[in-house]
Amino acid sequence: MTSTPLDKSAYEKIKEEINLHNYRYHVMDDPLISDAVFDQLLVKIRDIEEQHPDWITADSPTQRAGSLAIDKFDKVIHPASILSLSNAFNLADLTTWKNRIAKVDDRVERTSYVAEPKIDGLTVVLHYQNGIFVQGATRGNGEIGEDITENIRTIRSIPLRIPVKNKDVVVPERLVVRGEVYITISDFEALNNRLAEMGEKTYLNPRNTAAGSLRQLDSRITAQRPLRLYAYAIVDASGPVPQTQWGVLQYLESLGFHVSQYSTFCPTFQDVLQEAELWQQRRENLNFEVDGVVIKVDDLTLAADLGFAGKDPRGAVALKFPAREEVTLLNDIGVNVGRTGVLTPYAILNPVEIGGVVVKQATLHNFDYIEEKDIRIGDSVFVKRAGDVIPYVIGPVVDLRTGNERIFVAPEVCPVCGQESQHLEGEVAWFCVNAACPAQLVRNLEYFVSRQAMDIVGMGIKIVEQLVTEKIVEDVADLYRLGVDDLLPLEGFARKKAENLVEAIQGSKERPLNRVITALGIHGVGEVMGAALAVHFGSLDALINASITDLMNIEGIGPNIAEAVVKWIQQPQNQKVLEKLKNFGVWPIATQKKNSVRESIFANKVFVVTGTLENFSRTEIKEFIENLGGKITGSVSKSTDYLLMGENPGSKLTKAQELNIKILTETEFLELAGHS
Ligand code: IVH
């Protein structure tokens, strides 16, 4: 139960206490109390306010929850123009700016500067009257903005009353502060995940999210968004305020605003250039998007005296980083067929320059992505190119739609071979499963002849590529038709080499059933599954007639793999390949058929998997372990029995070592599972 003090001064004290904890948490990132204790304080203040609604003031923390929706935003006339800046694009431009202003006023040669990050967010103008936040506005056209007071109030890092902690700081009766509202990259990703889970539309980038959140007519929605503010200027004040930019930043900080910790004081212009250089690298490692650095003359009187060049003040300049995102038209969506048969959509774009490179195509990841983001042919789309990643389409600019956009329909057939494409339940990718599809033939052949499959010695990728390019083979079975004379015209083939290869190919007809099954390259059927199928069915004829249910009776095979096998066999082109293999005598019978299901040593065992496995995708290993009676969990704990470790294991490995959990390599695992 909360005890309810009934005098107003006690209420004021709790209010102040909460505002201070709020500041410690949201501005300083250094809370003094736990969330639970903070929540108790909130309960307490709500309790008091319920009994004394007349006590409630604009700076009460309860006012941050948002209030009733409004129809539209009112207009606000700014007390001074909310200016924007001229741009520089490289260090030479910066020097030109400095030389130009030095000509206007020779004090420039002796001035210092402040370099501040240009966070990619939205300008807001915050009005304080007697230290109380009374109004918040957007920039609008620089002269008139929109009244978004209720939305701004929900932003926890904005003080509702200043000064927050140091009571000695003098605050002018009227103070108008400018800052940038933004969202961190991690908050953006978490929010998008949350929206996606609820089946709601996701946002394109942090800036777009901040903009959308600030413009909500219902401030209760804004209150749910992880908006932050950093302050960097005083627009207007009725009393004395610092006359240097560095002084302004320190003053704003002392009032309880969040100012950027990355702002630096540069005594000379040389320091500015050095700092600007440092930003190129620093930018990569920050949890917020920065589109440039703002360089400001520190002496604000000098800055004001420098006046304007056109609409822009001369006293500051924005050094813009190369853009990573641009908007362009999505002319069409093409589909690539990868060497593994995966169909991947890609964007055919109106060429656009992003960070100095002309981008004409960009990836769309997969078909689900197009649907999720509602990307339509003819849309204006955001395209991002950052660091080493392939340019990708972030999403459509819905506001630019004309109504002529077309919804993309995923092709039901492989665009290369025209055969039906397939999709496994629970997996995102669509596949062309035609073993003779030219797009995959190289990879299928390479796999077919590899050591784990038919083990045809002397046949490497180069020969495979020659055979495909010269159209000497059109599917894997054609290998058995090859004679010495077919190989001789190929580059690098003398008679002896050709004879050896033909001999190796013919010799591979003796390979056991499990290898032939593996060699077919059915999605999800590697060495392990190949062996399991061979043991169970004993012949290709039996396998060909198997139903999904038959397949699922096999240890380690779940519905996905069972379906993949049946679909592969039903594919007309694949049936032709099988028929040809049979005619060529590549049709082994297993020596022994397994009758009893072995007791699994993995029954009831808990596995965690880390790194990339050679023989299994994540879905496959899950199915495999579950069929052995075990289960997979996501993180290592005391109840984990085994850590199955693939290539490039992650932090789970260290955790498992710390907890002394048995670690298995994939080979060890397969041995124990009886599949080696
Ligand atoms: S100073 C005269 N400082 O960048 C003062 N702007 O064109 C002009 N911005 O619209 C603004 N961080 O939204 C300034 N530290 C910073 C900034 C900053 C981001 C934005 C602001 C403005 C644009 C500059």
Side-chain angles (χ1 to χ4, degrees):
M1 242 356 269
T2 51
S3 63
T4 309
L6 286 175
D7 69 300
K8 202 170 172 189
S9 67
Y11 166 69
E12 291 292 337
K13 237 178 111 199
I14 293 186
K15 196 165 75 178
E16 206 168 294
E17 198 182 342
I18 295 178
N19 280 339
L20 181 69
H21 288 306
N22 185 71
Y23 167 78
R24 295 288 306 207
Y25 187 96
H26 291 283
V27 179
M28 291 186 69
D29 204 9
D30 184 18
L32 293 173
I33 56 170
S34 69
D35 289 5
V37 175
F38 183 80
D39 288 345
Q40 280 168 12
L41 285 173
L42 273 180
V43 170
K44 211 163 167 180
I45 199 164
R46 276 199 205 105
D47 195 15
I48 302 172
E49 288 184 350
E50 217 162 79
Q51 296 180 40
H52 297 279
D54 52 317
W55 288 359
I56 304 174
T57 46
D59 64 332
S60 164
T62 58
Q63 304 304 300
R64 290 194 191 269
S67 49
L68 283 180
I70 52 172
D71 296 336
K72 65 172 181 49
F73 299 114
D74 290 335
K75 300 278 177 235
V76 176
I77 300 173
H78 297 308
S81 297
I82 302 302
L83 304 165
S84 87
L85 296 176
S86 61
N87 292 326
F89 295 97
N90 48 47
L91 298 189
D93 287 354
L94 265 191
T95 309
T96 310
W97 164 73
K98 184 258 181 179
N99 291 340
R100 207 171 279 153
I101 59 170
K103 272 195 199 135
V104 177
D105 193 318
D106 63 5
R107 282 178 290 169
V108 167
E109 294 298 357
R110 296 177 298 281
T111 190
S112 30
Y113 303 83
V114 176
E116 299 172 12
K118 186 168 175 327
I119 297 188
D120 204 6
L122 288 110
T123 291
V124 287
V125 181
L126 311 170
H127 294 245
Y128 287 83
Q129 196 66 39
N130 295 320
I132 307 277
F133 169 72
V134 290
Q135 190 174 56
T138 61
R139 175 169 185 270
N141 62 7
E143 306 300 330
I144 298 173
E146 283 179 320
D147 185 340
I148 52 165
T149 310
E150 291 315 313
N151 289 347
I152 295 270
R153 203 192 289 290
T154 67
I155 303 175
R156 304 294 196 272
S157 57
I158 293 183
L160 295 180
R161 177 199 280 259
I162 48 174
V164 174
K165 52 172 185 180
N166 185 353
K167 296 286 170 239
D168 302 335
V169 186
V170 182
V171 187
E173 191 184 308
R174 188 181 74 256
L175 183 72
V176 184
V177 172
R178 176 172 178 175
E180 200 83 354
V181 167
Y182 69 104
I183 286 187
T184 64
I185 297 170
S186 51
D187 281 346
F188 161 72
E189 284 167 357
L191 172 67
N192 256 2
N193 288 342
R194 221 166 60 223
L195 291 174
E197 262 166 30
M198 296 188 302
E200 286 182 29
K201 250 193 108 188
T202 53
Y203 282 105
L204 300 176
N205 56 35
R207 182 176 193 282
N208 182 281
T209 318
S213 306
L214 267 190
R215 291 192 50 83
Q216 294 286 341
L217 289 166
D218 186 340
S219 51
R220 288 165 298 192
I221 297 177
T222 314
Q224 319 277 322
R225 300 293 159 81
L227 297 171
R228 297 172 192 239
L229 170 106
Y230 92 108
Y232 55 77
I234 293 175
V235 175
D236 194 22
S238 60
V241 286
Q243 283 308 300
T244 63
Q245 177 61 16
W246 192 243
V248 164
L249 293 181
Q250 285 173 330
Y251 177 64
L252 289 173
E253 185 172 27
S254 72
L255 291 180
F257 288 96
H258 171 66
V259 296
S260 174
Q261 64 182 106
Y262 294 97
S263 295
T264 49
F265 178 73
C266 303
T268 68
F269 187 68
Q270 204 49 41
D271 299 311
V272 167
L273 294 177
Q274 265 173 26
E275 185 63 17
E277 195 120 48
L278 283 179
W279 267 103
Q280 308 294 334
Q281 189 50 46
R282 193 182 287 155
R283 175 193 197 197
E284 304 297 328
N285 309 316
L286 296 175
N287 189 24
F288 47 86
E289 298 212 335
V290 175
D291 62 345
V293 203
V294 182
I295 309 297
K296 298 177 179 174
V297 163
D298 186 43
D299 178 346
L300 293 177
T301 318
L302 169 58
D305 290 348
L306 282 167
F308 292 82
K311 274 187 166 176
D312 302 323
R314 287 205 181 90
V317 66
L319 170 65
K320 297 270 279 198
F321 298 140
R324 292 163 158 183
E325 254 175 68
E326 292 291 349
V327 172
T328 189
L329 212 60
L330 175 66
N331 288 329
D332 206 352
I333 294 178
V335 178
N336 261 328
V337 187
R339 292 213 314 171
T340 55
V342 185
L343 306 190
T344 12
Y346 63 95
I348 302 169
L349 304 167
N350 250 12
V352 61
E353 193 183 312
I354 312 180
V357 174
V358 177
V359 177
K360 294 179 194 149
Q361 290 187 357
T363 177
L364 286 158
H365 304 300
N366 53 57
F367 298 118
D368 281 6
Y369 185 79
I370 300 177
E371 201 180 312
E372 252 165 46
K373 298 280 175 186
D374 187 21
I375 298 168
R376 305 182 189 175
I377 299 169
D379 261 333
S380 290
V381 287
F382 278 107
V383 182
K384 182 154 187 158
R385 189 187 79 87
D388 295 333
V389 297
I390 301 169
Y392 64 95
V393 173
I394 305 177
V397 190
V398 178
D399 289 347
L400 292 180
R401 284 207 170 132
T402 60
N404 294 329
E405 296 75 19
R406 271 186 301 125
I407 293 193
F408 170 76
V409 185
E412 283 172 7
V413 296
C414 165
V416 173
C417 70
Q419 294 289 316
E420 199 186 326
S421 55
Q422 284 170 11
H423 183 230
L424 294 182
E425 188 69 37
E427 280 193 24
V428 173
W430 280 77
F431 283 89
C432 168
V433 295
N434 168 12
C437 170
Q440 300 155 66
L441 189 53
V442 170
R443 142 119 194 169
N444 281 340
L445 276 166
E446 196 187 347
Y447 185 66
F448 188 85
V449 305
S450 69
R451 263 187 35 206
Q452 69 216 29
M454 299 303 270
D455 195 13
I456 301 177
V457 180
M459 186 132 174
I461 176 74
K462 262 190 119 164
I463 301 177
V464 165
E465 278 172 350
Q466 280 176 304
L467 293 173
V468 174
T469 324
E470 301 297 326
K471 296 206 166 52
I472 298 171
V473 299
E474 285 180 355
D475 58 44
V476 293
D478 281 347
L479 288 176
Y480 295 95
R481 210 178 18 76
L482 290 180
V484 173
D485 292 341
D486 297 310
L487 297 174
L488 279 177
L490 298 180
E491 202 190 305
F493 269 95
R495 181 160 291 275
K496 187 70 196 149
K497 185 172 169 184
E499 281 173 3
N500 286 345
L501 188 56
V502 170
E503 199 182 316
I505 294 172
Q506 295 302 320
S508 74
K509 288 181 179 172
E510 306 301 319
R511 299 281 177 263
L513 179 61
N514 59 321
R515 282 179 170 264
V516 179
I517 296 174
T518 305
L520 296 174
I522 301 171
H523 180 54
V525 181
E527 266 178 286
V528 177
M529 295 298 159
L533 292 172
V535 169
H536 188 88
F537 291 104
S539 73
L540 281 166
D541 290 301
L543 174 63
I544 286 170
N545 291 316
S547 68
I548 292 189
T549 331
D550 295 336
L551 287 156
M552 277 172 57
N553 282 332
I554 305 172
E555 210 178 273
I557 293 188
N560 276 335
I561 297 174
E563 193 186 349
V565 173
V566 170
K567 280 189 166 172
W568 191 96
I569 293 169
Q570 282 170 353
Q571 229 272 334
Q573 284 291 335
N574 296 341
Q575 290 194 352
K576 265 193 213 156
V577 172
L578 287 170
E579 205 178 298
K580 279 163 89 174
L581 284 172
K582 192 171 191 173
N583 290 338
F584 286 125
V586 194
W587 210 252
I589 307 282
T591 38
Q592 42 156 258
K593 194 164 162 5
K594 192 167 119 192
N595 296 316
S596 65
V597 176
R598 200 170 7 88
E599 242 326 279
S600 165
I601 68 152
F602 292 142
N604 302 320
K605 296 291 184 220
V606 180
F607 282 77
V608 172
V609 182
T610 181
T612 314
L613 300 175
E614 205 181 314
N615 291 293
F616 304 90
S617 70
R618 283 296 149 109
T619 324
E620 287 161 15
I621 190 68
K622 185 165 183 293
E623 228 171 73
F624 190 81
I625 288 177
E626 281 171 3
N627 276 292
L628 292 172
K631 71 170 189 176
I632 289 200
T633 61
S635 55
V636 176
S637 72
K638 274 196 221 134
S639 51
T640 309
D641 292 301
Y642 296 101
L643 179 82
L644 174 53
M645 178 182 70
E647 286 241 342
N648 300 323
S651 58
K652 288 176 191 166
L653 176 58
T654 335
K655 183 84 194 283
Q657 283 164 337
E658 275 167 23
L659 293 178
N660 244 335
I661 280 153
K662 178 110 187 79
I663 296 162
L664 294 178
T665 63
E666 195 172 343
T667 320
E668 288 165 348
F669 167 75
L670 289 174
E671 261 167 29
L672 285 172
H675 280 298
S676 61

